[in-house]
Every structure is written in structure tokens, then in C-alpha cells.
Amino acid sequence: MLIVLLAGVLHLPAGTIGVFFSIASVGALIGALTARRVAARIGQGPAIWIPVAVTAPLQLVIPAAQPGWLLWAAAAASFVIYCCVSVNNITQVSFRQGITPEHLLGRMNATMRFLVWGTAPLGALIGGVLGQLLDARTALWIAAAAGLLPVLPLLFSPLRTMRTLPAQPEREPKPTSPSHAASSDAAG
């Protein structure tokens, strides 16, 4: 719906739309480059929930975009949103991978990708229907308002105070049996 708003409603030139999305993309890159340092400074738990809390109200700036300063305010909000999304994603994926036993990593990653990315087509469908029935700006307002909801469970989550998140305990390497070692020596 954002492309529909920028191109179809606001009639912005392609170059301006490209600059808008480039600003957001630079935010994602900076978030990716600083995620480890952010988590080290504020703690892993806060590095998961604070970016969500920061992005929630900023999403309300996007549907207000108009030619002029409001467009660039929306681009700046997108910059911060993309930066925060990168920090959140890197920190929480690292956490999940750290607590998941090695033999279950593939299943866990596949399940999470299905749950997270599998809902994207549903969101696109709902956004398209809302845009068709209402208009692009209203669909973005509804999405921004819905984006406030994930903050509530995080405010009551133990993540708020967890500087270091639990990790999978280190496992001792399996000792090789004397017969196994002898047979591999003979084979070598």
C-alpha cells in the first residue's frame, strides 16, 4: 500500500520513491551493522523489545506522508523503523539459535520462517482488500494502528529486564571409543 500511496495517490516521480526506499534501506544496513553492539550495550532482552516499542509509534508517521516535509518525515521514520527491525531480527534470531539444540536448528528455522514469512501473503491480501475497499492511506493507518499491538505483550515480558538471555549449555565432545579410534587408525 505504501507504493500505491506514493505513486498512485501522491503521484511522486519514480526517483523520489527510490530515494524514499533507499533511506529506509540505509536504516536496515545500519541496524544490521550495529545490532551486536546495541545488544552488548543495552542487553539482549532489551535489544529485542525496545526496537519494537520504538517502531510502533513511528509507523503512525508513514500514512501521514504528503509531498514536502511530511514525505521526508515518513522517510526518516522508515529509516528508524528499518534500523530497529534489523536490530530486533538479528538479536532474536541469534537468541533462538543459541537455545536450540544443534540437531533441531533446521526444524526450528524452517518453522519460524513458515510462521513469519508464511503470513506475509495473508497480510498483502488483507492490505490489498482494505486498499480496494477504503483507500491506500486508510489501509496504512489500519496497519500502523495494528502495529501498536505487539508492544503490549513485550511490556509485560521478562525480556524487559534480561540483560543476557539463556543459551544452550555447551556440550562435551563425545569421547571416541578405543575400538572406533583403532579402526579409524587402521583405515587411515
Side-chain angles (χ1 to χ4, degrees), residues 66-153:
Q66 294 286 348
W69 75 271
L70 282 173
L71 175 67
W72 302 114
S78 293
F79 173 91
V80 175
I81 289 168
Y82 276 53
C83 183
C84 287
V85 166
S86 286
V87 170
N88 170 277
N89 281 340
I90 289 167
T91 306
Q92 54 98 2
V93 168
S94 297
F95 167 58
R96 279 198 318 260
Q97 290 177 344
I99 63 169
T100 303
E102 189 174 328
H103 70 281
L104 295 175
L105 279 172
R107 289 183 215 166
M108 179 276 297
N109 282 321
T111 300
M112 291 308 298
R113 285 189 176 268
F114 174 76
L115 291 173
V116 174
W117 294 104
T119 59
L122 182 60
L125 175 65
I126 292 169
V129 169
L130 288 173
Q132 185 71 34
L133 295 176
L134 306 169
D135 59 62
R137 193 180 301 276
T138 303
L140 288 169
W141 280 114
I142 292 169
L148 297 171
L149 297 176
V151 176
L152 297 176

Side-chain angles (χ1 to χ4, degrees), residues 49 52-53 56 59 143-155:
W49 77 268
V52 176
Q59 293 176 63
L148 297 171
L149 297 176
V151 176
L152 297 176
L154 289 172
L155 291 178

